[in-house]
Amino acid sequence: MNEPPRGLSEAAWEALALDQLGEPLGWKPVAGATIAPGTGERESWSELLIRPRLLEALRTLNPTVPVEYLRQALAELTSPKSMDAVTENERIHNFLVRGFPFSYLDANGAEVNPSIRLISTDPDQNDWLAVNQVTLIQGDVTRRFDLVLYCNGMPVSIIELKKAGSERATVASAYAQLQTYLREFPMAFRFCVFTLASDGQSAAYGTPFTPLNHFSPWNVDDDGKPVPAGATTVDGDAVTGLDTALAGLYNQERFLQLLTSFTAFDEGDDGLTKRIAKPHQYFAVTKAVGSTVQAVASNGKAGVVWHTQGSGKSMEMELYTNLVARNPKLKNPTVVVITDRNELDGQLFSSFDRSLLLPSKPQQIKRRAELRAELSNRTTGGIYFTTLQKFGISKAEKDAGAEHPLLSDRRNIIVIVDEAHRSHYDDLDGYARHLRDALPHATLIAFTGTPISFDDRNTQDVFGDYIDVYDLTRAVDDGATVPVYFEPRLIKVSLAANVTEETLDEAADEATQGLDETER
């Protein structure tokens, strides 16, 4: 898209965005007036949904269900159960991903229980529409949304474009406008996967409920490589942040992937939270799943995701776990998440435990005997959290010269290692060796911000090649983390008066009395 002149009207600016969505992205561009109530499209000024289009999609995607029952299902699924936007958004999200559970009696009086599909994973089987200037009226409040994007009649994304060249046009002001719409028309966002805010040059996206500081640019190409500032098209036109965001986020196949596999809800004491992957997370997880499928069939080394601290590795591991657990090629694998510190294990487990994305609830393993029993008896599925130290051997086993017992020789066990530090390299004798003895055919993958490369310890030697790298420079450029500055200072440290090394050793022996070597 050409860089717009400063005098360009908002209507012309929206038209440029519509053109890009239409060609080559395949969203049919139309004006808001063409879907207004009275046209046979929207039924009410107070609702964005285009019910006739959704009913037609239901008929296409569910050909065995009689149309009278599809109409009934449509009425039920679109009837809000509350007026809380995030609660309704999560309810609709489940229908979009898993289908709408429904039951009816067929002509023979037998009960039929189909899961009614709302969308297809094949983009060509869906109806895509991009509409500008969509008017919404509720009571005495009237608003016009800049761009509403529809899939099968459902308003799945909303874009706010501030006038290009205006001094008040910022991503923050576009975001604030979207938040105003959310407060005034909460049910208008119940189908919304994500929103996009733009100042005409840069752009950032997030869920309708994402705080501004967690909105992210989509600033990469189709291979996940950053699009540099000042980039131009083959025709010599400037490429703006909005151009890149539209091309990346609204590619129909990727849009469906973001909806089904890269959006997650949490449920905690403070209610529901919705999250969506940032571009570096999307590409890293996508590549990691592909690498894992290959590794399970070969050498068991899926590789290393090297993403800097603060880049969202916990969410990456969660998204990855969900996708490998549901991948038919992996035959319902068992996933074991390993850290090397109890506090890390607790933190990571808590984030997984709150997630509503995963196919089963994760289980935290507290004791060595429990770990051995679970992995020995499990034949399929399961998500386990433990520390590497749980793969230790008892004092009696060590004294007897015994190796760690075999727990499972299945190939579809995926071991995810969080922060691959030095304790994962002692293959000759130690925990890493015990892990290999326990699960000889498991596939290993590492998610780390600090890979190491020494003669005797090398992350790639243990886990395989780098799958994806997202360093501190990119994270700072993206706003994913803040810059880090180091000021070297020499701080002298010495023992307190009357304290010797022997005193410290005696205190440690007393504090760990009765513990075995692993616990100590």
Side-chain angles (χ1 to χ4, degrees):
M1 182 160 43
N2 292 328
E3 182 174 344
R6 287 187 172 272
L8 199 67
S9 69
E10 289 192 14
W13 173 239
E14 290 168 10
L16 285 174
L18 276 178
D19 287 345
Q20 187 174 357
L21 288 165
E23 181 63 42
L25 296 174
W27 301 70
K28 181 182 177 182
V30 299
T34 65
I35 64 162
T39 62
E41 300 277 10
R42 291 170 58 201
E43 295 180 355
S44 167
W45 287 109
S46 64
E47 186 172 52
L48 291 179
L49 179 66
I50 306 176
R51 289 176 183 268
R53 288 181 182 262
L54 180 51
L55 178 60
E56 184 59 32
L58 296 183
R59 296 180 65 175
T60 301
L61 299 174
N62 305 274
T64 64
V65 180
V67 67
E68 62 266 28
Y69 295 118
L70 291 176
R71 288 195 180 95
Q72 184 180 338
L74 174 61
E76 291 182 16
L77 73 90
T78 58
S79 178
K81 305 304 178 188
S82 77
M83 292 307 291
D84 180 65
V86 68
T87 299
E88 282 302 300
N89 190 280
E90 193 263 342
R91 186 177 76 92
I92 295 295
H93 173 81
N94 288 332
F95 300 155
L96 291 170
V97 175
R98 302 181 182 91
F100 179 67
F102 191 72
S103 63
Y104 65 92
L105 299 179
D106 65 14
N108 298 319
E111 185 176 13
V112 184
N113 299 287
S115 182
I116 296 177
R117 299 167 64 204
L118 279 65
I119 58 173
S120 171
T121 54
D122 178 0
D124 292 339
Q125 293 187 20
N126 297 313
D127 172 38
W128 305 91
L129 205 61
V131 190
N132 73 317
Q133 292 296 298
V134 181
T135 299
L136 210 55
I137 303 173
Q138 195 163 343
D140 56 357
V141 178
T142 300
R143 297 288 186 183
R144 277 193 302 274
F145 290 15
D146 287 345
L147 290 172
V148 179
L149 282 83
Y150 288 89
C151 179
N152 296 343
M154 297 174 287
V156 290
S157 187
I158 296 171
I159 300 175
E160 179 67 17
L161 297 172
K162 286 301 178 183
K163 183 178 180 180
S166 169
E167 292 182 1
R168 293 186 297 275
T170 64
V171 169
S173 62
Y175 172 86
Q177 189 67 63
L178 288 167
Q179 291 300 296
T180 297
Y181 297 156
L182 178 62
R183 288 192 301 271
E184 294 173 342
F185 302 97
M187 291 303 99
F189 289 82
R190 66 190 194 276
F191 294 92
C192 188
V193 181
F194 58 82
T195 60
L196 181 69
S198 176
D199 61 4
Q201 297 299 310
S202 57
Y205 75 102
T207 80
F209 322 103
T210 301
L212 177 60
N213 63 311
H214 286 294
F215 258 54
S216 170
W218 188 283
N219 51 5
V220 297
D221 62 19
D222 282 341
D223 296 319
K225 297 178 181 178
V227 176
T232 59
T233 67
V234 292
D235 297 326
D237 297 329
V239 177
T240 68
L242 178 59
D243 294 333
T244 306
L246 291 175
L249 290 166
Y250 296 102
N251 171 297
Q252 292 174 2
E253 183 176 0
R254 184 174 296 122
F255 184 92
L256 293 171
Q257 291 172 346
L258 290 170
L259 163 62
T260 57
S261 301
F262 292 90
T263 297
F265 285 84
D266 291 344
E267 188 170 40
D269 295 338
D270 54 350
L272 283 169
T273 304
K274 183 179 183 180
R275 296 169 288 123
I276 190 166
K278 296 179 180 180
H280 67 273
Q281 295 172 317
Y282 166 84
F283 282 100
V285 171
T286 300
K287 289 187 282 188
V289 173
S291 177
T292 300
V293 172
Q294 294 178 346
V296 169
S298 56
N299 63 1
K301 295 182 179 182
V304 180
V305 176
W306 176 11
H307 282 200
T308 189
Q309 301 291 339
S311 60
K313 290 194 301 298
S314 295
M315 184 174 182
E316 289 171 357
M317 286 185 273
E318 173 194 351
L319 296 171
Y320 168 83
T321 298
N322 175 63
L323 283 170
V324 295
R326 299 180 189 274
N327 192 303
K329 293 181 180 178
L330 300 179
K331 302 175 182 177
N332 195 13
T334 299
V335 178
V336 182
V337 184
I338 295 179
T339 64
D340 63 358
R341 297 205 304 273
N342 285 329
E343 57 267 35
L344 284 178
D345 183 57
Q347 292 167 8
L348 194 56
F349 172 76
S350 295
S351 67
F352 272 60
D353 196 42
R354 292 191 301 270
S355 174
L356 301 179
L357 175 68
L358 302 170
S360 63
K361 290 292 286 183
Q363 182 176 345
Q364 190 175 29
I365 303 297
K366 296 289 190 179
R367 304 191 65 81
R368 181 194 302 143
E370 182 186 3
L371 175 70
R372 294 185 177 185
E374 287 288 339
L375 293 181
S376 296
N377 297 325
R378 192 98 196 193
T379 59
T380 185
I383 302 170
Y384 294 104
F385 278 74
T386 191
T387 58
L388 188 63
Q389 288 77 8
K390 298 294 188 302
F391 283 94
I393 57 177
S394 67
K395 186 176 185 302
E397 289 172 328
K398 188 172 185 178
D399 291 344
E403 295 182 347
H404 194 290
L406 172 69
L407 301 183
S408 176
D409 61 359
R410 286 191 290 123
R411 298 198 68 88
N412 66 333
I413 294 179
I414 313 297
V415 176
I416 304 173
V417 176
D418 177 36
E419 290 302 340
H421 292 306
R422 63 187 180 192
S423 52
H424 299 284
Y425 298 91
D426 48 358
D427 278 334
L428 296 179
D429 182 28
Y431 300 126
R433 171 61 186 271
H434 299 329
L435 172 60
R436 271 303 182 197
D437 290 340
L439 306 170
H441 299 304
T443 288
L444 272 62
I445 184 170
F447 286 80
T448 182
T450 53
I452 60 177
S453 180
F454 299 122
D455 290 340
D456 60 334
R457 289 176 285 134
N458 188 296
T459 305
Q460 293 185 79
D461 287 345
V462 176
F463 298 96
D465 295 335
Y466 289 129
I467 296 171
D468 193 74
V469 176
Y470 185 74
D471 60 20
L472 185 60
T473 300
R474 274 193 64 190
V476 171
D477 289 344
D478 292 348
T481 189
V482 296
V484 178
Y485 302 98
F486 293 95
E487 181 180 345
R489 293 185 181 182
L490 180 63
I491 300 175
K492 294 182 178 180
V493 179
S494 60
L495 293 174
N498 303 321
V499 176
T500 66
E501 292 182 7
E502 290 75 16
T503 307
L504 293 176
D505 289 341
E506 291 172 3
D509 290 339
E510 181 178 346
T512 58
Q513 188 174 6
L515 301 179
D516 64 27
E517 184 177 351
T518 300
E519 293 167 333
R520 191 170 176 227

